[in-house]
């Protein structure tokens, strides 16, 4: 009887192709395994799991973003965390890339995910079958052998950062110095004693220029517009996101903006004085860096802020305000990445005006059957990537398993348009923690303050005033995790506990 039941279950299983075994791919495998009737098959073109968190000295073919030697997370560990597999308490509040990779490997081992991954396998094309319900994947193995496989569902986990962007400048092609994108930068020692311009107002622009300055380069940072600097730790000794990612603050955009600016000003009261704001003060939503070092490097003249570049000459660089820097050795473009999914047809994602039409940043509504293909973590949140990728993976697998139905197309399109309007009016980035909450609500895992108040008042207070850690979405409903309550109530303490002499990793 049991064998018959197992055979029926196996026959009824739906195959899910997961492309990419970075964090998004791993969370997708796990989410599929948590649903009855889904069989995940993950394709990874590299020979390792963990995606971008594998530090390598050179870029691999087709790779977008990459790590440099000194990378430490921009988000604190309690905010970035997997929702049911927290970073160890003994990890520091902001985690080095080596420890991040170790944690991802532990996650894969703990949930036994690796056996679902086919390494050295590149998905080169995803096509619909005639009725639009099934998918044909064209796959290339490590010996360049091509094959085709059919799947019921597809999860695209190939990373949002797939194409490095270098803006065009007059004369750039004639510049004789080193020209690289930030994804090729690895260590400061390469640039010791050199005159280097870092272009960009992003996180990596800030981190790379500070590191180059410490490493003995003469550094200039060229920015088109003003930028706010958020320090990793606030004045009260808490990670900035533990202090700021609170439900009460997210209720009002203006209050949240005010509080973030307050945090920025604790280290640098007047950003204009440091040359980091143009005449008009730039909105925090448009440009911020997370950096602990920028203020000191600027104050010590080791980084000089410059306006946008006007043109390149053979050895020199001319800026929009007429300043010329002579004999420049290198330019590093920390100018971001292009959004795109090279293995699927662009018309599935973009409307005629080139805007992506993707419901909850997951389901491409332009498809005949949007409920059969999901983008996971293919968005650029203003908060941490992992929680949004994870909740998207949970939503997609529940939809695939038939446990949640998507709204009709008209309703999905209406929501996409409303969000666009909101984005335009508020001039703020989406998605972010509120998007995670919306999806949590669809999944039935978003706690209710009033229900908590009756059943567990301590948690209710934490819900309203405490940090928005991912464990909140494991308290109840499908995928509930018994450890969630404790991690929520201790999130603030755990975020910095190792600073008080918690046993170090080596001592364990
Ligand atoms: C320097 C740096 C610092 C960062 N710091 C933070 C931080 O503090 N907080 C944060 O939230 N995020 C941070 N990020 C963003 C980071 O990208 C995400 O945290 C995240 O881990 C992305 O995971 P992913 O799985 O979406 O993409 P990736 O990690 O890039 O994984 C994608 C995987 O897909 C594989 N793949 C791609 N195409 C194919 C194909 N066609 N066939 C088969 N396999 C394919 C790739 O080989 C790769 O393994 C940082 C990124 C960088 C570069």
């Amino acid at each position: 009887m049991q064998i018959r039941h197992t055979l029926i279950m196996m026959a009824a299983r739906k195959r899910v192709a997961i492309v990419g075994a970075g964090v998004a791919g791993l969370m997708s495998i796990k989410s599929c395994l948590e649903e009855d009737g889904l069989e995940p098959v993950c394709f990874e073109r590299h020979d390792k799991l963990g995606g971008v968190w594998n530090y390598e000295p050179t870029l691999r073919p087709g790779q977008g973003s990459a790590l440099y030697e000194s990378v430490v997370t921009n988000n604190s560990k309690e905010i970035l965390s997997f929702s049911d597999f927290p970073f160890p308490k003994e990890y520091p509040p902001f985690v080095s890339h080596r420890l991040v990779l170790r944690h991802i490997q532990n996650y894969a081992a703990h949930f036994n995910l690796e056996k679902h991954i086919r390494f050295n396998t590149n998905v080169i094309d995803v096509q619909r079958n005639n009725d639009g319900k099934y998918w044909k994947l064209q796959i290339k193995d490590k010996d360049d052998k091509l094959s085709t496989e059919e799947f019921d569902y597809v999860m695209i986990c190939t990373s949002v950062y797939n194409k490095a962007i270098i803006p065009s400048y007059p004369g750039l092609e004639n510049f004789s110095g080193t020209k690289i994108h930030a994804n090729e930068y690895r260590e400061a020692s390469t640039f010791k004693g050199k005159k280097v311009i870092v272009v960009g107002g992003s996180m990596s622009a800030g981190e790379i220029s500070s590191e180059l300055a410490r490493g003995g380069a003469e550094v200039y940072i060229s920015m088109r517009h003003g930028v706010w600097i958020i320090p990793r730790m606030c004045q009260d000794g808490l990670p900035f996101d533990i202090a700021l990612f609170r439900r009460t603050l997210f209720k009002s955009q203006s209050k949240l903006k005010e509080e973030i600016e307050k945090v920025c000003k604790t280290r640098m009261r007047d950003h204009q004085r440091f040359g980091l704001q143009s005449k008009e003060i730039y909105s925090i939503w448009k440009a911020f860096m997370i950096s602990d070092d920028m203020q000191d490097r600027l104050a010590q003249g080791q980084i000089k802020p410059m306006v946008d570049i006007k043109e390149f000459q053979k050895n020199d660089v001319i800026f929009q305000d007429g300043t010329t820097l002579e004999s420049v050795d290198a330019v590093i473009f920390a100018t971001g990445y292009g959004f795109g999914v090279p293995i699927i047809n662009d018309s599935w994602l973009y409307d005629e005006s080139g805007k992506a039409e993707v419901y909850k940043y997951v389901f491409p509504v332009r498809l005949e059957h949007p409920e059969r293909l999901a983008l996971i973590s293919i968005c650029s949140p203003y908060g941490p990537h992992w929680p949004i990728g994870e909740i998207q993976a949970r939503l997609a697998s529940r939809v695939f398993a038939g446990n949640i139905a998507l709204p009709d197309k008209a309703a999905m399109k209406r929501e996409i348009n409303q969000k666009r309007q909101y984005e335009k009016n508020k001039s703020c980035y989406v998605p972010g923690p509120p998007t995670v909450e919306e999806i949590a609500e669809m999944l039935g895992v978003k706690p209710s303050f009033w229900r908590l108040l009756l059943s567990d008042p301590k948690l209710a207070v934490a819900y309203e005033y405490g940090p928005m850690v991912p464990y909140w979405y494991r308290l109840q409903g499908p995928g509930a995790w018994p450890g969630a309550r404790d991690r929520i109530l201790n999130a603030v303490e755990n975020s910095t506990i190792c600073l008080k002499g918690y046993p170090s990793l080596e001592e364990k």
Side-chain angles (χ1 to χ4, degrees), residues 19-25 43-46 50-53 60 65-68 71 73-75 80 121-123 157-159 161 343 376-377 384-386:
V19 190
V23 169
F43 299 99
E44 170 52 58
R45 64 182 173 198
H46 202 14
V52 73
W53 296 102
R60 277 176 278 121
S65 60
L67 297 181
Y68 40 92
V71 166
T73 57
N74 298 313
N75 298 107
L80 179 65
T121 317
N122 199 0
V123 174
C157 307
T158 50
S159 170
Y161 301 129
I343 54 172
I376 307 298
S377 220
H385 284 239
W386 298 11

Side-chain angles (χ1 to χ4, degrees), residues 18 49 130 142 186 219 264 269 326 336 346 464 475 495 503:
I18 296 171
L49 57 79
N130 293 340
K142 69 170 185 299
R186 293 294 177 273
V219 185
C264 295
R269 216 164 165 79
E326 291 175 354
D346 273 355
E464 204 58 9
L475 263 184
S495 69

Side-chain angles (χ1 to χ4, degrees), residues 64 113 141 239 301 345:
L113 306 179
D141 71 14
N345 193 319

Side-chain angles (χ1 to χ4, degrees), residues 18 27 51 86 105 116 158 170 179 185 189 191 223-224 253 304 312 334 361 368 377 398 428 448 462 470:
I18 296 171
M27 296 187 298
Q105 289 163 341
H116 302 276
T158 50
K179 303 170 257 197
Y185 170 80
S189 60
F191 297 91
M223 290 182 291
R224 268 195 191 147
Q253 285 282 326
K304 295 181 190 69
F312 285 84
Y361 308 87
E368 202 178 332
S377 220
R398 283 197 77 66
C428 77
S448 142

